Amino acid sequence: MSPQDIYHYLKVNDRLITSGQPTEDQLKSIAAEGFQAVINLAPHDSRSALKDEAGVVRSAGMAYHYIPVDWEHPQDSDFETFASTLNQIGDQKVLIHCAANYRVTAFYSLYAMQELKWSETQADELMAHFWKRGENPIWQKFIQQLKDRIKGHG
């Protein structure tokens, strides 16, 4: 079992991968590869959610951070909690996941613009792995509002 087998796996760099919902065995394989933390942005009532993901992650020796982001109502406060959590994690190896890697690629690309000084083009390239332009108007508006704020226009 390899982390690359996780649904919608995407390696951002040597210490950070994003994905859709991992299985219990995939979470254990992440721990075996030296990952130290998991951030879950999918609500526990998501279709593919594990019954006790927090327990599985902690029993594998990793820290678990749960930031449930409502797909129909993403909030600025969700993003702020995400950014704060990622900053606290520092240089630890981390898996950030949600149900299908949409919430995560949106949040991480915005985080990278804000904290890592990525260009908007770099952020859009990361999101383009899964997002299609105009695919979800609620999220498109949310993402654009945060981009504008990050760029100092909002």
Side-chain angles (χ1 to χ4, degrees):
M1 172 98 18
S2 163
Q4 291 88 346
D5 297 329
I6 301 172
Y7 180 67
H8 277 181
Y9 166 92
L10 180 64
K11 181 177 179 178
V12 176
N13 57 45
D14 287 339
R15 65 167 205 85
L16 189 136
I17 58 175
T18 69
S19 73
Q21 178 65 54
T23 65
E24 190 171 325
D25 287 342
Q26 289 166 337
L27 287 168
K28 291 175 183 173
S29 76
I30 292 289
E33 294 218 0
F35 281 77
Q36 299 152 296
V38 172
I39 300 174
N40 177 7
L41 300 184
H44 287 313
D45 60 359
S46 294
R47 253 189 333 230
S48 58
L50 297 179
K51 190 173 183 97
D52 182 21
E53 180 169 332
V56 171
V57 169
R58 289 183 182 120
S59 71
M62 298 180 290
Y64 182 72
H65 305 274
Y66 177 58
I67 308 166
V69 179
D70 182 339
W71 179 252
E72 297 298 325
H73 305 284
Q75 304 293 316
D76 287 2
S77 60
D78 297 328
F79 174 72
E80 291 161 11
T81 300
F82 172 79
S84 173
T85 301
L86 210 46
N87 286 337
Q88 288 170 9
I89 286 172
D91 290 336
Q92 292 182 12
K93 288 182 79 171
V94 62
L95 162 66
I96 309 170
H97 83 83
C98 57
N101 209 356
Y102 285 85
R103 292 172 183 94
V104 174
T105 50
F107 273 37
Y108 189 77
S109 65
L110 292 163
Y111 171 85
M113 281 181 67
Q114 178 176 288
E115 302 292 327
L116 307 177
K117 305 307 178 205
W118 279 16
S119 68
E120 188 170 358
T121 301
Q122 287 173 294
D124 289 346
E125 286 172 358
L126 181 77
M127 286 189 4
H129 285 278
F130 306 108
W131 287 90
K132 306 294 178 253
R133 191 169 289 290
E135 173 176 59
N136 189 300
I138 292 168
W139 276 85
Q140 294 302 323
K141 181 179 178 187
F142 174 74
I143 291 164
Q144 191 58 54
Q145 287 174 338
L146 280 172
K147 280 181 178 179
D148 288 347
R149 190 182 83 206
I150 290 165
K151 293 185 298 186
H153 303 296

